[in-house]
Amino acid sequence: TLFLEQNQLTNIDAVGEYRYLEHLSVSKNAFQGPLPESFKQLKYLKTLYLHTNAFTGQVFDILKDFKKLELLDLAFNKFEGTLPAELGEMSNLTSVFLGHNEFRGTIPAEIGRCPNLKEFQIDASHKIGGPIPTEFGKLANLEFLKLDTCAFNGTLPPELAECQKLYFLDVNSNDLGGRIPTEFGKLGNMRTL
């Protein structure tokens, strides 16, 4: 475990030497640029907090094989690229926070292969869009889904009503049309829509 939050640290290169780290938090520092290649050695990570820095580059080129991750927080950086299908192979994920970056494209359908996922957030990401994946409906443990201020289009998938634990859904400021699915009436835990 290594917690280095809320400092003015600028160089993260040596972190990759701690190969057996399970928990790493370097949030709220002064890091800039891409993650070093040495990060690829941190395959035992379960929690990774990188939020609120100025990291850039295609972060999933480094992280796509991190199969033990449970919590991934990349929010408030300048990461680029697409969200890879390999997200679906991170089956231990419970919480994913990707908002306020420069990601583009769509959310891969493979997200539906993360059975433990409880929280998924990608907001204020104007280059992420397309239809909201119906595969979110396969996530029985999903409680919190925040997809606001992006470029999602199409309609709200009625499959989301299969997420019986869902209590928070935010899709404001997108390009969605159509009706609110009547199936949403089955969402007995919904508190915020």
Side-chain angles (χ1 to χ4, degrees):
T1 299
L2 188 56
F3 291 114
L4 302 170
E5 290 184 346
Q6 297 184 18
N7 287 290
Q8 293 300 311
L9 300 173
T10 59
N11 187 311
I12 197 168
D13 292 350
V15 170
E17 299 303 317
Y18 302 101
R19 289 187 171 102
Y20 298 102
L21 267 183
E22 292 185 356
H23 308 282
L24 174 62
S25 180
V26 295
S27 299
K28 298 181 181 178
N29 273 287
F31 297 114
Q32 297 180 36
L35 290 180
E37 284 291 314
S38 63
F39 241 71
K40 286 184 176 180
Q41 299 176 69
L42 300 176
K43 302 222 173 163
Y44 291 95
L45 280 180
K46 293 181 180 178
T47 60
L48 178 59
Y49 293 92
L50 300 178
H51 73 80
T52 318
N53 281 289
F55 286 118
T56 62
Q58 300 199 18
V59 65
F60 286 105
D61 287 352
I62 302 275
L63 302 181
K64 66 182 178 183
D65 295 322
F66 282 41
K67 308 288 191 256
K68 296 184 183 290
L69 272 180
E70 297 172 9
L71 185 146
L72 176 62
D73 190 347
L74 305 178
F76 294 97
N77 279 287
K78 298 177 182 177
F79 288 123
E80 304 168 316
T82 58
L83 305 180
E86 286 87 355
L87 272 176
E89 296 171 21
M90 297 178 180
S91 59
N92 293 319
L93 281 173
T94 59
S95 302
V96 177
F97 306 101
L98 306 173
H100 297 268
N101 277 290
E102 299 297 321
F103 293 120
R104 67 181 185 282
T106 60
I107 297 173
E110 288 80 3
I111 197 72
R113 295 198 321 237
C114 295
N116 300 310
L117 196 62
K118 292 181 179 181
E119 302 172 288
F120 187 90
Q121 179 173 340
I122 186 160
D123 56 334
S125 299
H126 306 286
K127 298 175 186 173
I128 288 284
I132 295 172
T134 59
E135 287 78 7
F136 275 121
K138 296 177 181 177
L139 303 175
N141 292 306
L142 191 65
E143 299 174 354
F144 181 95
L145 183 58
K146 187 167 173 57
L147 306 173
D148 68 280
T149 321
C150 293
F152 292 107
N153 57 33
T155 60
L156 280 170
E159 290 84 355
L160 287 175
E162 299 303 316
C163 303
Q164 289 297 299
K165 295 181 180 179
L166 192 65
Y167 71 86
F168 183 97
L169 174 63
D170 184 352
V171 294
N172 83 73
S173 300
N174 280 287
D175 294 318
L176 297 168
R179 63 177 181 83
I180 297 172
T182 55
E183 292 87 348
F184 280 19
K186 296 191 300 187
L187 293 170
N189 289 318
M190 184 60 68
R191 301 289 180 266
T192 304
L193 176 62

